[in-house]
Amino acid sequence: MPQNEPWEYSLHIPNDPHAVTVCRRTVRLILTMHGLIHLVDTAELLATELVSNAVRHTKGPAALRLRWRGGVLRIGAWDADPEPPEPPSKLGDLVDAEGGRGLALVSACADVWGWQPLSRNGNRGKYVWCEVIAA
């Protein structure tokens, strides 16, 4: 499949800390198979932060979605908590912090990020996403 053809993958995950590693490795495999190896490191970091927030801060199921369209990689995580994410702090303010770096890293590494309320299979929740524009 040529790099300019759009594609989308979704991975439904349980509320399990192992899901973060499964998602990170799945992102690497998908991007490698599509010839987008130059995006792997950034995409792995972004997916890890989004999925770990979904697993750590909620009690329900979650899902990871990767979408490639028009030279833009969108990475998103759905979780069962409808509350909006906490706004990210500045990375410089988090040097000695034990946590809270997740969305600050997403904000720093992605070209754009956001969130929206989203229901899935009858569960209310939210979808937190970010985009990386391929150079």
Side-chain angles (χ1 to χ4, degrees):
M1 178 179 290
Q3 284 186 9
N4 59 352
E5 300 253 346
W7 49 258
E8 185 174 314
Y9 292 86
S10 295
L11 179 62
H12 300 272
I13 57 175
N15 190 284
D16 176 356
H18 294 103
V20 176
T21 301
V22 170
C23 289
R24 184 174 55 246
R25 291 182 179 169
T26 301
V27 166
R28 176 172 286 277
L29 179 61
I30 290 169
L31 294 179
T32 300
M33 296 304 295
H34 283 283
L36 298 169
I37 193 73
H38 61 287
L39 297 179
V40 166
D41 291 337
T42 301
E44 278 185 324
L45 172 68
L46 295 168
T48 297
E49 294 303 331
L50 295 178
V51 171
S52 65
N53 282 347
V55 170
R56 182 179 298 128
H57 300 296
T58 69
K59 295 181 180 170
L64 172 69
R65 187 169 101 184
L66 294 177
R67 184 183 76 195
W68 174 257
R69 185 177 299 149
V72 177
L73 177 65
R74 177 174 275 207
I75 304 164
W78 174 85
D79 66 51
D81 181 2
E83 293 300 314
E86 292 290 322
S89 299
K90 293 186 182 198
L91 279 176
D93 297 339
L94 298 169
V95 172
D96 295 326
E98 300 261 337
R101 290 186 197 96
L103 284 180
L105 284 170
V106 170
S107 179
C109 295
D111 291 298
V112 63
W113 78 277
W115 78 278
Q116 63 197 58
L118 184 67
S119 294
R120 183 180 202 96
N121 299 328
N123 296 316
R124 288 185 33 194
K126 67 179 168 297
Y127 182 66
V128 182
W129 56 270
C130 62
E131 292 183 345
V132 177
I133 300 170

